[in-house]
Amino acid sequence: MVISIFLNSSELGELAYLLEEFLKIPCLLNGDGFYVKLFEQDIESTELQKDKKCLEDYEEYYNSLAIFGDRPLLEIVKSEYDAIANCDFLIFMEDFSRNQTETTDMWTKRCSTRINAMADIININAKRALRVIFCNEGPICFMATCMMEYCTVLIPSNIVALTADRGLSVISAVSEKTGVPVPKIGAPPVWGFVGCNEYVDESSIIFKAHILKPYKRALRAPNISTLPLGTVIPELRMMSYLLPNQHDEIIQLVTERKKNIEHYLNRKPFLSRLRALKSLLELWCEPNPSDQVISLGVCSNGSYGIRPGIVFSQPCIQDQKQRWKPFENFSFVNDAIALKIQECVEDAELLLKNIGFDMSSYCPLSDASQLTLQLDK
């Protein structure tokens, strides 16, 4: 298994944690193990010599462990061609956060230009089965959509944007509001053109509750009775009845916590992103498809009113070929959530249109079945 990681100096702090997480994934350790190639575009510049030395230290340390015998674990490559050649997974971690002086058009143009350049190399050097994961700061769903637009060799369903981490940060806030312990709470669905807009639906969180199922004698038993009046059984429930109209309050609480963490750490928090990336790789590398539903930015097939052909975060599941597809059986708690998702869809279409995408070339909703057939080929 060959994994290529595209990063820049701002992500070096994540690298050591990421490599340690890779070593905890059983399916990556099977057979011949895995091999990581690192590419940093400006690493040879004089300003980044300290970072270059840091990468070289990582390379020397991990290769000295001899985890896979005399085969190296880590290599720093000097060109994108070397990074993409014979690669099975491409993990894109370059920081494309919006600069304060940039307009939306300038920002999206910078992102699309970078993806266009990388797509030219992928079209020449990459395997058709290459799997691309966008897990960087920036408009990840937009960049994944650009990758699908510019890459002619890749299978569209193999291009995804990591979005589940947006929901993980909400879990602790929901636990405080409801009193339900964190281990009993599932991850909330994440919708949107993540990086540009998003909607975390905490009301659709599934949690494990314990309820009392009374016996018939519970109605007539005296107060002093010591006989059991029923049995306690576990039950899966929706979080909506415990959080009536508290979405804005929860999101504000999560946003403030992120700002405080960033202030004290002097960097953006990344542990939730690494946790979500590890979970995604575990599911994607298993020999058999999983029935687990996760939030992921994938190519839409027209479900939930999302225009087919764009990468949009939604509940996803694997098909029999282990390709990620929208989970179409998800039900909304109320119509207001569907309206919020539709607003995210309209914003995404407007952004793509402004950057120069011909939206008429994307499948209309009536042709969603045709797109599904194309993705299955």
Side-chain angles (χ1 to χ4, degrees):
M1 181 78 67
V2 180
I3 303 173
S4 291
I5 303 176
F6 282 53
L7 75 168
N8 50 26
S9 57
S10 61
E11 277 71 50
L12 289 182
E14 298 183 46
L15 182 59
Y17 291 92
L18 181 60
L19 294 174
E20 292 296 330
E21 291 300 318
F22 284 171
L23 294 172
K24 298 176 184 177
I25 301 177
C27 51
L28 291 184
L29 302 177
N30 296 334
D32 295 330
F34 65 96
Y35 173 63
V36 178
K37 295 191 285 188
L38 298 177
F39 173 75
E40 213 284 47
Q41 194 166 26
D42 300 319
I43 198 64
E44 297 296 333
S45 64
T46 56
E47 294 84 1
L48 296 179
Q49 288 306 302
K50 184 177 179 181
D51 294 332
K52 181 180 179 181
K53 181 64 170 61
C54 180
L55 281 178
E56 291 173 347
D57 290 343
Y58 280 142
E59 182 182 30
E60 180 181 359
Y61 169 73
Y62 281 102
N63 290 340
S64 68
L65 297 178
I67 296 173
F68 304 118
D70 58 352
R71 294 178 59 249
L73 172 67
L74 184 63
E75 179 189 4
I76 302 170
V77 296
K78 297 182 178 180
S79 71
E80 292 179 334
Y81 289 92
D82 293 335
I84 292 172
N86 299 317
C87 174
D88 298 299
F89 278 94
L90 193 159
I91 301 177
F92 191 83
M93 298 179 63
E94 294 182 11
D95 190 349
F96 271 81
S97 300
R98 182 173 178 175
N99 299 328
Q100 293 182 351
T101 57
E102 280 184 316
T103 63
T104 301
D105 289 345
M106 293 169 59
W107 181 41
T108 51
K109 184 64 176 178
R110 176 165 64 92
C111 295
S112 63
T113 300
R114 174 69 182 100
I115 298 303
N116 195 0
M118 190 166 66
D120 289 340
I121 300 173
I122 290 176
N123 287 332
I124 298 172
N125 280 13
K127 302 177 181 179
R128 176 160 174 76
L130 172 65
R131 301 171 182 181
V132 181
I133 302 174
F134 287 88
C135 59
N136 56 298
E137 294 289 341
I140 54 175
C141 284
F142 170 75
M143 298 177 80
T145 302
C146 291
M147 181 66 75
M148 285 204 319
E149 179 76 9
Y150 302 143
C151 278
T152 58
V153 300
L154 298 186
I155 300 170
S157 56
N158 280 353
I159 302 173
V160 302
L162 187 75
T163 61
D165 58 303
R166 266 67 173 183
L168 294 180
S169 57
V170 175
I171 293 178
S172 59
V174 169
S175 177
E176 292 177 9
K177 291 283 186 182
T178 60
V180 179
V182 170
K184 295 184 178 181
I185 299 177
V190 180
W191 303 86
F193 207 52
V194 172
C196 301
N197 61 56
E198 64 186 58
Y199 179 74
V200 180
D201 181 15
E202 78 288 338
S203 63
S204 296
I205 290 177
I206 302 294
F207 73 99
K208 185 178 181 180
H210 289 86
I211 63 171
L212 176 66
K213 188 175 182 180
Y215 299 141
K216 290 183 178 179
R217 67 166 174 265
L219 296 175
R220 58 179 184 271
N223 293 335
I224 59 174
S225 175
T226 58
L227 294 175
L229 301 181
T231 57
V232 177
I233 60 173
E235 181 180 83
L236 295 181
R237 292 188 172 186
M238 300 284 282
M239 189 67 73
S240 54
Y241 75 96
L242 295 177
L243 296 170
N245 302 320
Q246 296 188 44
H247 175 77
D248 294 339
E249 185 178 345
I250 291 174
I251 297 303
Q252 183 180 357
L253 176 60
V254 172
T255 302
E256 290 176 355
R257 284 183 176 175
K258 286 183 177 180
K259 289 181 179 178
N260 291 334
I261 293 174
E262 187 173 345
H263 172 73
Y264 288 113
L265 296 179
N266 199 26
R267 61 168 173 80
K268 295 181 179 179
F270 55 72
L271 293 180
S272 60
R273 181 166 57 194
L274 295 187
R275 178 184 173 188
L277 177 59
K278 178 192 173 185
S279 298
L280 174 60
L281 287 174
E282 283 180 328
L283 293 174
W284 217 349
C285 292
E286 286 293 335
N288 300 313
S290 169
D291 59 356
Q292 185 171 339
V293 179
I294 65 172
S295 294
L296 194 66
V298 297
C299 180
S300 173
N301 60 4
S303 56
Y304 309 111
I306 305 167
R307 180 179 288 273
I310 67 173
V311 175
F312 198 88
S313 179
Q314 55 194 300
C316 298
I317 195 171
Q318 286 182 322
D319 63 13
Q320 293 303 311
K321 297 181 180 180
Q322 288 189 295
R323 297 175 182 175
W324 292 104
K325 65 176 185 178
F327 178 70
E328 300 182 18
N329 296 327
F330 188 87
S331 58
F332 298 124
V333 174
N334 53 55
D335 293 338
I337 296 174
L339 291 176
K340 290 182 180 295
I341 295 171
Q342 190 57 39
E343 290 176 2
C344 293
V345 174
E346 293 172 357
D347 289 344
E349 293 182 7
L350 180 61
L351 186 149
L352 291 170
K353 185 177 180 181
N354 289 340
I355 198 66
F357 277 64
D358 182 8
M359 297 309 296
S360 62
S361 65
Y362 287 83
C363 300
L365 295 181
S366 60
D367 292 339
S369 59
Q370 290 297 113
L371 180 74
T372 303
L373 292 176
Q374 294 173 17
L375 296 180
D376 289 338
K377 290 182 179 178

